[in-house]
Amino acid sequence: MVGTGPGPIDLMAQRAIDAIKKAQAVAGYRTYLDLISGLLAPGQEIIGSGMMQEVERCQKALELAEQGKYVALVCGGDPGIYAMAGLVFELARVNGTHPEIEIIPGISALNACAALLGAPLMHDFAAISLSDLLTPWKVIEKRLRLAAEADFVIALYNPASKRRQGHLKRARDIILEHRRPETPAGIVTGAFRQGQSIRLASLEGLTGDNHGVNMHSTVIIGNSRSFTWNGHMITPRGYEKKYSYWQS
Amino acid sequence: MVGTGPGPIDLMAQRAIDAIKKAQAVAGYRTYLDLISGLLAPGQEIIGSGMMQEVERCQKALELAEQGKYVALVCGGDPGIYAMAGLVFELARVNGTHPEIEIIPGISALNACAALLGAPLMHDFAAISLSDLLTPWKVIEKRLRLAAEADFVIALYNPASKRRQGHLKRARDIILEHRRPETPAGIVTGAFRQGQSIRLASLEGLTGDNHGVNMHSTVIIGNSRSFTWNGHMITPRGYEKKYSYWQS
């Protein structure tokens, strides 16, 4: 299982590149295969597929691995964060097979978006997906409420899709119960890819309709101490309390 | 600001390697400079330092950048996750200067440890540092309590150091108020480095004295649905509810 990071080859680890080049078969969602097409060789079996076919794709990759093939299952970002790593283990368990599985981590959306926004994740944070395809919305709401109360920086995965337009606004409303309306928020769409967009907003302004938020976006909402400076979003770690020369 | 990932050069992005090679000055905590010593060239100014001198080191890097030098400030993992990115912006703000700052993200401890444990971060999670050097312990406790109640997978950074021995057990006690004693937990020390250790335990067993937990460890505690299988720690995403063929 290979993490391809945000997109550009030069943000992938060499270990990930080597695994893809060495593979007899490469499986992955078509968007991610396109991003790494320069690494693929003519002799390789390619198992691409559209969205919503994750189970079939992982099952196919497992079957090939069980036949003794070296298979690279590629994931955008990191296979271990909201991606395919769990599904592969779950399927192997159901199948009753024990293929050798190695996970090569990648730079996930969290890391990529934080790097483009400034330094929003300097303190404790929570990652919450707003997709209710596999999780009841009630569970998502509860997590939003408690994360807001705990003053976590909050990274929202899957803030919107064509079918889910109102979730970001609903999340904003819940978080606003515990946090100032002017709390900084960052919206990154297509991080490190062509057409990348980086926007700063306030929590109050996250109504979802005016920031081009879509399925390629990640939203990061600051904690009670986050601030913006010079176009960057920053969460302080607490050094200013420790170092007297700070004020000098 | 360059993320060097967990340690091995082949888990760094090429963009990070290039930035270090191109730099006129390279600053960083000595442990991380040692890990990338193969990338350093004789002509480069090296600003190494021991722990607890982060402020001075970042200040020096900023001064050189303000003089027009290309400076690589290296961080283990990702500069954007509990690392130096925030401090650099905060110092630049205090200094009143505006050097050009670029952050090249890396594979953080979260990603590295999850990859070695299996697939613990397939669902919503919280990252909490147990270090009370810069954060009051009361705040940490509150976050632990709410994260446990929210059923987040919980990644604990800085679970122990020579001076902080009891924090992991105190965190365990709080989380146990909301989660089963047999909840799986994973302890990874020195991820992807020589002497790396990967251990599975139960939440109840996280007493901190028998797992060799130290400042190079990260601990991941599962949510209410996490399980272990074949030596791996897995948090299900929820596919089994969606796909009827799961049970076949």
Side-chain angles (χ1 to χ4, degrees), chain A residues 174-241:
Chain A
I174 291 167
I175 299 169
L176 272 172
E177 291 168 22
H178 289 278
R179 226 162 277 185
R180 289 176 297 118
E182 59 272 26
T183 301
I187 303 130
V188 180
T189 302
F192 289 104
R193 297 191 202 160
Q194 215 162 17
Q196 150 191 298
S197 137
I198 305 165
R199 291 169 206 234
L200 288 180
S202 66
L203 172 58
E204 193 175 31
L206 283 186
T207 48
D209 49 3
N210 54 353
H211 294 289
V213 179
N214 63 35
M215 56 178 289
H216 303 291
S217 307
T218 304
V219 175
I220 299 183
I221 297 164
N223 70 12
S224 61
R225 305 193 56 227
S226 301
F227 61 88
T228 57
W229 173 74
N230 198 26
H232 303 291
M233 176 176 168
I234 299 153
T235 302
R237 182 84 182 88
Y239 286 100
E240 72 282 7
K241 290 185 225 148

Side-chain angles (χ1 to χ4, degrees), chain B residues 112-149:
Chain B
C113 295
L116 293 168
L117 286 169
L121 299 179
M122 287 299 106
H123 220 298
D124 303 330
F125 62 91
I128 302 175
S129 167
L130 295 190
S131 166
D132 59 356
L133 274 176
L134 301 172
T135 306
W137 179 255
K138 278 220 162 291
V139 172
I140 299 171
E141 275 200 351
K142 182 180 178 188
R143 288 181 179 160
L144 288 166
R145 189 162 290 120
L146 292 166
E149 190 182 342

Side-chain angles (χ1 to χ4, degrees), chain A residues 92-107:
Chain A
R93 186 169 77 144
V94 169
N95 295 346
T97 58
H98 295 79
E100 198 185 321
I101 298 172
E102 181 190 357
I103 297 169
I104 301 174
I107 292 167

Side-chain angles (χ1 to χ4, degrees), chain A residues 96-175:
Chain A
T97 58
H98 295 79
E100 198 185 321
I101 298 172
E102 181 190 357
I103 297 169
I104 301 174
I107 292 167
S108 53
L110 200 72
N111 307 255
C113 295
L116 293 168
L117 286 169
L121 299 179
M122 286 300 107
H123 220 298
D124 304 330
F125 62 90
I128 302 175
S129 166
L130 295 190
S131 166
D132 58 355
L133 274 177
L134 301 172
T135 307
W137 179 255
K138 277 218 162 294
V139 171
I140 299 170
E141 275 199 351
K142 182 181 178 189
R143 289 183 179 160
L144 288 166
R145 189 163 288 120
L146 291 165
E149 190 182 341
D151 203 23
F152 284 121
V153 179
I154 301 176
L156 298 176
Y157 278 69
N158 306 309
S161 71
K162 273 180 197 158
R163 281 168 303 173
R164 277 180 296 106
Q165 289 293 344
H167 287 199
L168 180 59
K169 175 152 186 327
R170 288 159 77 184
R172 156 202 181 269
D173 292 345
I174 291 167
I175 299 169

